[in-house]
Coordinates of all heavy atoms in Angstrom, one line a residue:
M22 N 94.0 122.3 70.7 CA 94.1 121.4 71.8 C 93.6 120.0 71.4 O 94.3 119.0 71.8 CB 93.4 121.9 73.0 CG 93.5 121.1 74.2 SD 93.0 122.1 75.6 CE 93.3 121.0 76.9
I23 N 92.6 119.9 70.7 CA 92.1 118.6 70.3 C 93.1 117.9 69.4 O 93.2 116.6 69.6 CB 90.7 118.8 69.5 CG1 89.7 119.3 70.5 CG2 90.3 117.4 68.9 CD1 88.4 119.8 69.7
I24 N 93.8 118.5 68.5 CA 94.7 117.9 67.7 C 95.9 117.4 68.5 O 96.3 116.3 68.3 CB 95.2 118.9 66.6 CG1 94.1 119.2 65.7 CG2 96.4 118.3 65.9 CD1 94.4 120.3 64.7
S25 N 96.4 118.2 69.5 CA 97.4 117.7 70.4 C 97.1 116.5 71.1 O 97.9 115.5 71.3 CB 97.9 118.8 71.3 OG 98.3 120.0 70.6
I26 N 95.9 116.5 71.7 CA 95.5 115.3 72.5 C 95.3 114.1 71.6 O 95.7 113.0 72.0 CB 94.2 115.6 73.2 CG1 94.4 116.8 74.2 CG2 93.7 114.4 74.0 CD1 95.5 116.6 75.3
S27 N 94.7 114.3 70.4 CA 94.6 113.2 69.5 C 95.9 112.6 69.1 O 96.1 111.3 69.0 CB 93.9 113.7 68.2 OG 92.6 114.2 68.5
L28 N 96.9 113.4 68.8 CA 98.3 113.0 68.5 C 98.9 112.2 69.7 O 99.5 111.2 69.5 CB 99.2 114.1 68.0 CG 98.9 114.6 66.7 CD1 99.7 115.9 66.4 CD2 99.3 113.6 65.6
A29 N 98.7 112.7 70.9 CA 99.2 112.1 72.1 C 98.6 110.7 72.2 O 99.3 109.7 72.5 CB 98.9 112.9 73.3
I30 N 97.3 110.6 72.0 CA 96.6 109.2 72.1 C 97.2 108.3 71.0 O 97.5 107.1 71.3 CB 95.1 109.4 71.9 CG1 94.6 110.1 73.2 CG2 94.4 108.0 71.7 CD1 93.1 110.6 73.1
L31 N 97.4 108.8 69.8 CA 98.0 108.0 68.8 C 99.4 107.4 69.2 O 99.6 106.3 69.0 CB 98.1 108.8 67.5 CG 98.8 108.1 66.3 CD1 98.0 107.0 65.8 CD2 99.1 109.2 65.2
F32 N 100.2 108.3 69.7 CA 101.5 107.8 70.2 C 101.5 106.9 71.3 O 102.3 106.0 71.4 CB 102.4 109.0 70.4 CG 103.0 109.6 69.1 CD1 102.5 110.9 68.6 CD2 103.9 109.0 68.3 CE1 103.0 111.4 67.4 CE2 104.4 109.5 67.1 CZ 103.9 110.7 66.7
I33 N 100.6 107.1 72.2 CA 100.4 106.1 73.3 C 100.0 104.8 72.8 O 100.5 103.7 73.1 CB 99.4 106.6 74.4 CG1 99.9 107.8 75.0 CG2 99.0 105.6 75.3 CD1 101.2 107.6 75.9
V34 N 99.1 104.7 71.8 CA 98.7 103.5 71.2 C 99.9 102.8 70.5 O 100.1 101.6 70.6 CB 97.5 103.7 70.2 CG1 97.2 102.5 69.3 CG2 96.3 104.1 70.9
L35 N 100.7 103.6 69.8 CA 101.9 103.1 69.2 C 102.9 102.5 70.2 O 103.4 101.4 70.0 CB 102.6 104.2 68.4 CG 102.0 104.5 67.0 CD1 102.8 105.7 66.4 CD2 102.1 103.3 66.0
A36 N 103.0 103.2 71.3 CA 103.9 102.6 72.4 C 103.4 101.3 72.9 O 104.2 100.4 73.1 CB 103.9 103.6 73.5
V37 N 102.1 101.1 73.1 CA 101.5 99.9 73.5 C 101.7 98.8 72.4 O 102.1 97.6 72.8 CB 100.0 100.0 73.8 CG1 99.3 98.7 74.1 CG2 99.8 100.9 75.0
I38 N 101.6 99.1 71.2 CA 101.8 98.1 70.1 C 103.3 97.6 70.2 O 103.5 96.5 70.1 CB 101.5 98.8 68.8 CG1 100.0 98.9 68.7 CG2 102.0 97.9 67.6 CD1 99.5 99.7 67.4
F39 N 104.2 98.6 70.3 CA 105.6 98.2 70.4 C 106.0 97.4 71.6 O 106.7 96.4 71.6 CB 106.5 99.5 70.4 CG 106.6 100.1 69.1 CD1 106.4 101.5 69.0 CD2 106.8 99.5 67.9 CE1 106.5 102.2 67.8 CE2 106.9 100.1 66.7 CZ 106.8 101.4 66.6
L40 N 105.3 97.7 72.7 CA 105.6 97.0 74.0 C 104.9 95.6 73.9 O 105.4 94.6 74.6 CB 105.0 97.7 75.2 CG 105.9 98.9 75.6 CD1 105.1 99.7 76.7 CD2 107.3 98.5 76.0
M41 N 103.9 95.4 73.2 CA 103.3 94.1 73.0 C 104.1 93.2 72.0 O 103.8 92.0 71.9 CB 101.9 94.2 72.4 CG 100.9 94.8 73.3 SD 99.2 95.2 72.6 CE 99.0 93.8 71.5
G42 N 105.2 93.8 71.4 CA 106.0 92.9 70.5 C 105.6 93.0 69.1 O 106.0 92.1 68.3
K43 N 104.7 93.8 68.8 CA 104.2 94.0 67.4 C 104.7 95.3 66.9 O 105.4 96.1 67.5 CB 102.7 94.1 67.5 CG 102.0 92.9 68.2 CD 102.1 91.6 67.5 CE 101.4 90.6 68.2 NZ 101.6 89.3 67.7
G44 N 104.4 95.6 65.7 CA 104.7 96.9 65.1 C 106.0 97.0 64.4 O 106.5 98.1 64.2
D45 N 106.7 95.8 64.1 CA 108.0 95.9 63.5 C 107.9 96.6 62.1 O 108.8 97.3 61.7 CB 108.6 94.5 63.3 CG 108.8 93.8 64.6 OD1 108.8 94.5 65.7 OD2 109.0 92.6 64.6
K46 N 106.7 96.5 61.5 CA 106.6 97.0 60.2 C 106.4 98.6 60.2 O 106.5 99.3 59.3 CB 105.3 96.5 59.5 CG 105.4 95.0 59.2 CD 106.3 94.7 58.1 CE 106.2 93.3 57.8 NZ 107.3 92.8 56.9
L47 N 106.2 99.1 61.5 CA 106.1 100.5 61.6 C 107.4 101.3 61.9 O 107.4 102.5 61.9 CB 105.1 100.8 62.8 CG 103.7 100.3 62.6 CD1 102.9 100.5 63.8 CD2 103.0 100.9 61.4
I48 N 108.5 100.5 62.0 CA 109.8 101.1 62.3 C 110.5 101.4 61.0 O 110.8 100.5 60.3 CB 110.6 100.1 63.2 CG1 109.9 99.9 64.5 CG2 112.0 100.8 63.6 CD1 110.6 98.8 65.4
A49 N 110.7 102.7 60.8 CA 111.3 103.1 59.5 C 112.7 102.5 59.4 O 113.5 102.5 60.4 CB 111.4 104.5 59.5
G50 N 113.0 102.0 58.3 CA 114.4 101.4 58.1 C 114.4 99.9 58.4 O 115.0 99.1 57.6
Y51 N 113.8 99.5 59.5 CA 113.8 98.1 59.8 C 112.9 97.3 58.9 O 113.2 96.2 58.4 CB 113.3 97.9 61.3 CG 113.4 96.4 61.7 CD1 114.6 95.9 62.1 CD2 112.3 95.6 61.8 CE1 114.7 94.6 62.4 CE2 112.3 94.3 62.1 CZ 113.6 93.8 62.5 OH 113.6 92.5 62.8
N52 N 111.7 97.9 58.6 CA 110.8 97.1 57.7 C 111.3 97.0 56.3 O 110.9 96.0 55.5 CB 109.4 97.8 57.7 CG 109.5 99.2 57.1 OD1 110.5 99.8 57.0 ND2 108.3 99.8 56.9
T53 N 112.2 97.9 55.8 CA 112.7 97.7 54.5 C 114.1 97.0 54.4 O 114.7 96.8 53.4 CB 112.9 99.1 53.8 OG1 113.8 99.9 54.6 CG2 111.5 99.8 53.7
A54 N 114.6 96.7 55.6 CA 116.0 96.0 55.6 C 115.9 94.6 55.2 O 114.9 94.0 55.3 CB 116.5 96.1 57.1
S55 N 117.0 94.2 54.7 CA 117.1 92.8 54.2 C 117.2 91.9 55.4 O 117.4 92.3 56.5 CB 118.3 92.5 53.3 OG 119.5 92.8 54.1
D56 N 116.9 90.6 55.2 CA 117.0 89.6 56.4 C 118.3 89.6 57.0 O 118.5 89.5 58.2 CB 116.6 88.2 55.8 CG 115.1 88.1 55.5 OD1 114.4 89.0 56.1 OD2 114.8 87.2 54.7
E57 N 119.4 89.9 56.1 CA 120.7 89.9 56.7 C 120.9 91.1 57.6 O 121.6 90.9 58.7 CB 121.7 90.0 55.5 CG 123.2 90.0 55.8 CD 124.0 90.1 54.6 OE1 124.1 89.2 53.8 OE2 124.6 91.2 54.5
E58 N 120.4 92.2 57.2 CA 120.5 93.4 58.1 C 119.6 93.3 59.4 O 120.0 93.7 60.4 CB 120.1 94.7 57.3 CG 121.1 95.1 56.2 CD 122.4 95.6 56.8 OE1 122.3 96.2 57.8 OE2 123.4 95.2 56.2
K59 N 118.5 92.7 59.3 CA 117.6 92.5 60.4 C 118.3 91.6 61.4 O 118.1 91.7 62.6 CB 116.2 91.9 60.0 CG 115.4 92.9 59.3 CD 114.1 92.2 58.9 CE 113.2 93.2 58.1 NZ 111.9 92.7 57.7
Q60 N 119.1 90.7 61.0 CA 119.8 89.8 61.9 C 120.8 90.6 62.8 O 121.1 90.1 63.9 CB 120.6 88.7 61.2 CG 119.6 87.7 60.5 CD 118.7 87.0 61.4 OE1 119.1 86.6 62.5 NE2 117.4 86.8 61.0
K61 N 121.3 91.8 62.4 CA 122.2 92.6 63.2 C 121.5 93.4 64.2 O 122.2 94.1 65.0 CB 123.0 93.5 62.2 CG 123.8 92.7 61.1 CD 124.5 93.7 60.2 CE 125.3 93.0 59.1 NZ 125.9 94.0 58.2
V62 N 120.2 93.4 64.3 CA 119.5 94.3 65.1 C 118.8 93.5 66.2 O 118.3 92.4 66.0 CB 118.4 95.1 64.4 CG1 117.6 95.9 65.3 CG2 119.0 95.9 63.3
N63 N 119.0 94.0 67.5 CA 118.3 93.4 68.7 C 116.9 94.0 68.7 O 116.6 95.1 69.1 CB 119.0 93.7 69.9 CG 118.4 93.0 71.1 OD1 117.2 92.6 71.1 ND2 119.3 92.7 72.2
I64 N 116.0 93.3 68.1 CA 114.6 93.8 67.9 C 113.9 94.1 69.2 O 113.1 95.1 69.3 CB 113.7 92.8 67.0 CG1 112.4 93.5 66.6 CG2 113.5 91.6 67.7 CD1 112.6 94.8 65.8
H65 N 114.1 93.4 70.2 CA 113.6 93.7 71.5 C 114.0 95.0 72.1 O 113.2 95.8 72.6 CB 113.9 92.5 72.6 CG 113.4 91.2 72.1 ND1 112.1 90.9 72.0 CD2 114.1 90.1 71.7 CE1 112.0 89.6 71.5 NE2 113.2 89.2 71.4
R66 N 115.3 95.3 72.0 CA 115.8 96.6 72.4 C 115.3 97.7 71.5 O 114.9 98.8 72.0 CB 117.2 96.6 72.5 CG 117.9 95.8 73.5 CD 119.4 95.9 73.5 NE 119.9 95.2 74.6 CZ 121.2 95.2 74.8 NH1 122.1 95.8 74.0 NH2 121.7 94.5 75.8
L67 N 115.1 97.5 70.2 CA 114.6 98.5 69.3 C 113.2 98.8 69.6 O 112.8 99.9 69.6 CB 114.8 98.0 67.9 CG 114.4 98.9 66.7 CD1 115.2 100.3 66.9 CD2 114.5 98.3 65.4
R68 N 112.4 97.7 69.8 CA 111.0 98.0 70.2 C 110.8 98.8 71.5 O 110.0 99.6 71.6 CB 110.2 96.7 70.4 CG 109.9 95.9 69.1 CD 109.1 94.7 69.4 NE 109.1 93.8 68.3 CZ 109.4 92.5 68.5 NH1 109.6 92.0 69.6 NH2 109.4 91.7 67.4
L69 N 111.7 98.5 72.5 CA 111.6 99.2 73.7 C 112.0 100.7 73.5 O 111.3 101.6 74.0 CB 112.6 98.6 74.8 CG 112.7 99.3 76.1 CD1 111.4 99.2 76.8 CD2 113.8 98.6 76.9
L70 N 113.0 100.9 72.7 CA 113.4 102.3 72.5 C 112.2 103.1 71.7 O 112.0 104.2 72.0 CB 114.7 102.3 71.7 CG 115.9 102.0 72.4 CD1 117.1 101.9 71.5 CD2 116.2 103.1 73.5
M71 N 111.6 102.3 70.8 CA 110.6 103.0 70.0 C 109.4 103.3 70.9 O 108.7 104.2 70.8 CB 110.2 102.1 68.8 CG 111.2 102.0 67.7 SD 111.8 103.6 67.1 CE 110.3 104.2 66.4
A72 N 109.0 102.4 71.9 CA 108.0 102.6 72.8 C 108.3 103.8 73.7 O 107.4 104.6 73.9 CB 107.7 101.3 73.6
I73 N 109.5 103.9 74.2 CA 109.8 105.0 75.1 C 109.8 106.3 74.3 O 109.2 107.3 74.8 CB 111.2 104.8 75.7 CG1 111.2 103.6 76.6 CG2 111.7 106.0 76.4 CD1 112.5 103.2 77.1
L74 N 110.3 106.3 73.1 CA 110.2 107.5 72.3 C 108.8 107.9 71.9 O 108.4 109.1 71.9 CB 111.1 107.4 71.0 CG 111.2 108.6 70.1 CD1 111.8 109.8 70.9 CD2 112.0 108.3 68.9
S75 N 107.9 106.9 71.7 CA 106.5 107.2 71.5 C 105.8 107.9 72.6 O 105.1 108.8 72.5 CB 105.7 105.9 71.1 OG 106.3 105.4 69.9
V76 N 106.2 107.4 73.8 CA 105.6 108.0 75.1 C 106.1 109.4 75.2 O 105.4 110.3 75.6 CB 105.9 107.2 76.3 CG1 105.6 107.9 77.6 CG2 105.2 105.8 76.3
I77 N 107.4 109.6 75.0 CA 108.0 111.0 75.1 C 107.3 111.9 74.1 O 107.0 113.1 74.4 CB 109.5 111.0 74.9 CG1 110.1 110.3 76.1 CG2 110.1 112.3 74.7 CD1 111.6 110.0 76.0
T78 N 107.1 111.4 72.8 CA 106.4 112.2 71.8 C 105.0 112.5 72.2 O 104.5 113.6 72.0 CB 106.4 111.4 70.5 OG1 107.8 111.1 70.1 CG2 105.8 112.3 69.4
A79 N 104.3 111.5 72.8 CA 102.9 111.8 73.3 C 103.0 112.9 74.4 O 102.1 113.8 74.3 CB 102.4 110.5 73.9
L80 N 103.9 112.8 75.3 CA 104.0 113.9 76.3 C 104.3 115.2 75.7 O 103.7 116.2 76.1 CB 105.0 113.5 77.3 CG 104.7 112.3 78.3 CD1 105.9 112.0 79.1 CD2 103.5 112.5 79.1
F81 N 105.2 115.2 74.7 CA 105.5 116.5 74.0 C 104.2 117.1 73.4 O 103.9 118.3 73.5 CB 106.6 116.3 73.0 CG 106.8 117.5 72.1 CD1 107.5 118.6 72.7 CD2 106.5 117.5 70.8 CE1 107.8 119.7 71.9 CE2 106.7 118.6 70.0 CZ 107.4 119.7 70.6
C82 N 103.4 116.2 72.7 CA 102.3 116.7 72.0 C 101.2 117.2 72.9 O 100.6 118.2 72.7 CB 101.6 115.6 71.1 SG 102.7 115.2 69.7
A83 N 101.0 116.4 74.0 CA 100.0 116.8 74.9 C 100.4 118.1 75.7 O 99.5 118.8 76.2 CB 99.8 115.6 76.0
S84 N 101.7 118.4 75.9 CA 102.1 119.5 76.7 C 102.0 120.8 75.8 O 102.0 121.9 76.4 CB 103.5 119.4 77.2 OG 104.4 119.3 76.2
Q85 N 102.0 120.8 74.5 CA 102.1 121.9 73.7 C 101.0 123.0 74.0 O 101.3 124.2 74.0 CB 102.1 121.6 72.2 CG 103.4 121.0 71.8 CD 104.6 121.9 72.2 OE1 104.7 123.0 71.7 NE2 105.5 121.3 73.0
P86 N 99.7 122.6 74.2 CA 98.8 123.6 74.5 C 99.0 124.4 75.8 O 98.4 125.5 76.0 CB 97.4 122.9 74.5 CG 97.6 121.7 73.8 CD 99.1 121.3 74.0
F87 N 99.8 123.8 76.7 CA 99.9 124.3 78.0 C 101.3 125.1 78.2 O 101.5 125.7 79.2 CB 99.8 123.2 79.0 CG 98.5 122.5 79.0 CD1 98.5 121.2 78.5 CD2 97.4 123.1 79.4 CE1 97.4 120.5 78.4 CE2 96.2 122.3 79.3 CZ 96.2 121.1 78.8
I88 N 102.1 125.1 77.1 CA 103.3 125.8 77.2 C 103.3 127.3 77.3 O 104.0 127.9 78.1 CB 104.2 125.4 75.9 CG1 104.4 124.0 75.8 CG2 105.4 126.3 75.8 CD1 105.7 123.5 76.6
G89 N 102.4 127.9 76.6 CA 102.2 129.3 76.6 C 102.1 129.9 75.2 O 102.1 129.1 74.2
N90 N 101.9 131.2 75.1 CA 101.7 131.8 73.8 C 103.0 132.3 73.2 O 103.0 132.8 72.1 CB 100.7 132.9 73.9 CG 99.3 132.4 74.2 OD1 99.0 131.1 73.9 ND2 98.4 133.1 74.8
E91 N 104.0 132.3 73.9 CA 105.3 132.9 73.4 C 106.0 131.9 72.5 O 106.1 130.7 72.8 CB 106.2 133.2 74.6 CG 105.7 134.2 75.5 CD 105.7 135.6 74.8 OE1 106.6 136.0 74.0 OE2 104.6 136.3 75.2
T92 N 106.4 132.4 71.4 CA 107.1 131.6 70.4 C 108.4 130.9 71.0 O 108.8 129.8 70.7 CB 107.5 132.4 69.1 OG1 106.3 133.0 68.6 CG2 108.1 131.6 68.0
A93 N 109.1 131.7 71.8 CA 110.4 131.3 72.4 C 110.1 130.1 73.3 O 111.0 129.1 73.3 CB 111.0 132.4 73.2
D94 N 109.0 130.0 74.0 CA 108.7 128.9 74.8 C 108.5 127.6 74.0 O 109.0 126.5 74.3 CB 107.5 129.1 75.7 CG 107.6 130.2 76.6 OD1 108.8 130.5 77.0 OD2 106.7 130.9 77.1
H95 N 107.9 127.8 72.9 CA 107.6 126.6 72.0 C 108.9 126.2 71.3 O 109.1 125.0 71.1 CB 106.6 127.0 70.9 CG 105.2 127.0 71.5 ND1 104.4 125.9 71.7 CD2 104.4 128.1 71.8 CE1 103.3 126.2 72.2 NE2 103.2 127.5 72.3
L96 N 109.7 127.1 70.9 CA 111.0 126.8 70.4 C 111.9 126.0 71.4 O 112.6 125.2 71.0 CB 111.7 128.0 69.8 CG 111.1 128.6 68.5 CD1 111.8 129.9 68.1 CD2 111.1 127.6 67.4
D97 N 111.9 126.5 72.6 CA 112.7 125.8 73.7 C 112.3 124.3 73.8 O 113.1 123.5 73.9 CB 112.6 126.6 75.0 CG 113.3 127.8 75.0 OD1 114.1 128.1 74.1 OD2 113.0 128.7 75.9
S98 N 111.0 124.1 73.8 CA 110.5 122.7 74.0 C 110.7 121.9 72.8 O 111.1 120.8 72.9 CB 109.0 122.7 74.3 OG 108.2 123.2 73.3
L99 N 110.7 122.6 71.6 CA 111.0 121.8 70.4 C 112.5 121.5 70.3 O 112.9 120.4 69.9 CB 110.6 122.7 69.2 CG 110.7 122.1 67.8 CD1 109.8 120.9 67.7 CD2 110.4 123.1 66.7
F100 N 113.3 122.4 70.8 CA 114.8 122.1 70.8 C 115.0 120.9 71.7 O 115.8 120.1 71.4 CB 115.5 123.4 71.2 CG 117.0 123.1 71.2 CD1 117.7 123.0 70.0 CD2 117.7 123.1 72.4 CE1 119.1 122.8 70.1 CE2 119.1 122.9 72.4 CZ 119.8 122.7 71.3
L101 N 114.4 121.0 72.9 CA 114.6 119.9 73.9 C 114.1 118.5 73.3 O 114.8 117.5 73.4 CB 113.9 120.2 75.2 CG 113.9 119.1 76.3 CD1 115.4 118.9 76.7 CD2 113.1 119.5 77.5
F102 N 113.0 118.6 72.6 CA 112.5 117.4 71.9 C 113.4 116.9 70.9 O 113.7 115.7 70.7 CB 111.1 117.6 71.4 CG 110.5 116.4 70.7 CD1 110.1 115.3 71.4 CD2 110.4 116.4 69.3 CE1 109.4 114.2 70.8 CE2 109.8 115.3 68.6 CZ 109.4 114.2 69.4
F103 N 114.0 117.7 70.1 CA 115.0 117.5 69.1 C 116.1 116.8 69.7 O 116.7 115.7 69.2 CB 115.4 118.7 68.3 CG 116.5 118.4 67.4 CD1 116.3 117.8 66.2 CD2 117.8 118.8 67.6 CE1 117.3 117.5 65.3 CE2 118.8 118.6 66.8 CZ 118.6 117.9 65.6
L104 N 116.7 117.3 70.8 CA 117.8 116.7 71.5 C 117.5 115.3 72.0 O 118.4 114.3 71.9 CB 118.3 117.5 72.7 CG 119.0 118.8 72.3 CD1 119.4 119.6 73.6 CD2 120.2 118.5 71.4
V105 N 116.3 115.1 72.5 CA 115.9 113.7 73.0 C 115.8 112.8 71.9 O 116.3 111.6 72.0 CB 114.6 113.8 73.8 CG1 114.0 112.4 74.1 CG2 114.8 114.6 75.1
T106 N 115.3 113.2 70.7 CA 115.1 112.4 69.6 C 116.5 112.0 69.0 O 116.8 110.9 68.7 CB 114.3 113.1 68.5 OG1 113.1 113.5 69.1 CG2 114.1 112.2 67.3
L107 N 117.4 113.0 69.1 CA 118.8 112.7 68.6 C 119.5 111.6 69.6 O 120.1 110.8 69.1 CB 119.6 114.0 68.6 CG 121.1 113.9 68.1 CD1 121.1 113.4 66.6 CD2 121.7 115.2 68.3
L108 N 119.2 111.8 70.8 CA 119.8 110.7 71.8 C 119.2 109.3 71.4 O 119.9 108.4 71.4 CB 119.4 111.1 73.2 CG 119.7 110.0 74.2 CD1 121.2 109.9 74.4 CD2 119.0 110.4 75.6
F109 N 118.0 109.2 71.1 CA 117.3 108.0 70.8 C 117.9 107.5 69.4 O 118.0 106.2 69.2 CB 115.8 108.1 70.8 CG 115.3 107.8 72.1 CD1 115.2 108.8 73.1 CD2 114.8 106.6 72.5 CE1 114.7 108.6 74.3 CE2 114.3 106.3 73.7 CZ 114.2 107.4 74.7
V110 N 118.1 108.4 68.5 CA 118.8 107.8 67.2 C 120.1 107.3 67.5 O 120.5 106.2 66.9 CB 118.9 109.0 66.2 CG1 119.8 108.7 65.0 CG2 117.5 109.4 65.7
I111 N 120.9 107.8 68.4 CA 122.2 107.3 68.7 C 122.1 106.0 69.4 O 122.7 105.0 69.2 CB 123.0 108.3 69.6 CG1 123.3 109.6 68.7 CG2 124.2 107.7 70.2 CD1 123.8 110.7 69.6
L112 N 121.1 105.9 70.4 CA 120.8 104.7 71.1 C 120.4 103.5 70.1 O 120.8 102.4 70.3 CB 119.8 104.8 72.2 CG 120.3 105.5 73.4 CD1 119.1 105.9 74.3 CD2 121.3 104.7 74.2
T113 N 119.6 103.8 69.2 CA 119.1 102.8 68.3 C 120.3 102.2 67.4 O 120.3 101.1 66.9 CB 118.0 103.2 67.3 OG1 118.4 104.4 66.6 CG2 116.7 103.5 68.2
N114 N 121.3 103.2 67.1 CA 122.4 102.7 66.3 C 123.6 102.2 67.1 O 124.6 101.7 66.5 CB 122.9 103.9 65.5 CG 122.0 104.2 64.3 OD1 121.6 103.3 63.5 ND2 121.4 105.4 64.3
T115 N 123.4 102.2 68.4 CA 124.5 101.6 69.3 C 123.9 100.4 70.2 O 124.2 99.2 70.0 CB 125.1 102.6 70.1 OG1 124.2 103.3 70.9 CG2 125.9 103.6 69.3
W116 N 123.0 100.8 71.1 CA 122.6 99.9 72.0 C 121.6 98.8 71.5 O 121.6 97.7 71.9 CB 121.8 100.6 73.1 CG 121.3 99.8 74.3 CD1 122.1 99.1 75.2 CD2 120.0 99.5 74.7 NE1 121.4 98.5 76.1 CE2 120.1 98.7 75.9 CE3 118.7 99.9 74.2 CZ2 118.9 98.2 76.5 CZ3 117.6 99.4 74.8 CH2 117.7 98.6 75.9
A117 N 120.9 99.1 70.4 CA 120.0 98.1 69.8 C 120.6 97.2 68.7 O 120.0 96.4 68.1 CB 118.8 98.9 69.1
K118 N 121.9 97.4 68.5 CA 122.6 96.5 67.6 C 123.2 95.4 68.3 O 123.7 95.4 69.4 CB 123.8 97.3 66.9 CG 123.4 98.4 66.0 CD 122.9 98.0 64.7 CE 122.6 99.2 63.8 NZ 122.1 98.9 62.5
K119 N 123.2 94.2 67.6 CA 123.8 93.0 68.2 C 125.3 93.1 68.0 O 125.8 93.7 67.0 CB 123.3 91.7 67.4 CG 121.9 91.4 67.8 CD 121.5 90.1 67.0 CE 120.1 89.8 67.4 NZ 119.6 88.6 66.6
K120 N 126.0 92.7 69.0 CA 127.5 92.7 68.9 C 128.1 91.4 68.6 O 127.7 90.4 68.6 CB 128.0 93.1 70.3 CG 127.5 94.4 70.7 CD 128.0 94.9 71.9 CE 127.5 96.4 72.1 NZ 127.4 97.1 73.0

């Protein structure tokens, strides 16, 4: 339970960092992109998506001790988290790109 709460706090801190307009170096792929590639990305939208995903991850981590002892329950929540993460990957590659 301590590990889950610690991870949740870490992800909340990351969300605050992204919402403050900082933390571009923490976004995988963006920090290693060339300046030409960075120009194709709407960084404000990308930061917003990363902040929202960080909050969702924090809620997922914090909820794990309360899910139950059944493996199926944990797998269900993990599958749901995977689907949400996949949605955010799609959003970062569509909505966060400049047109």
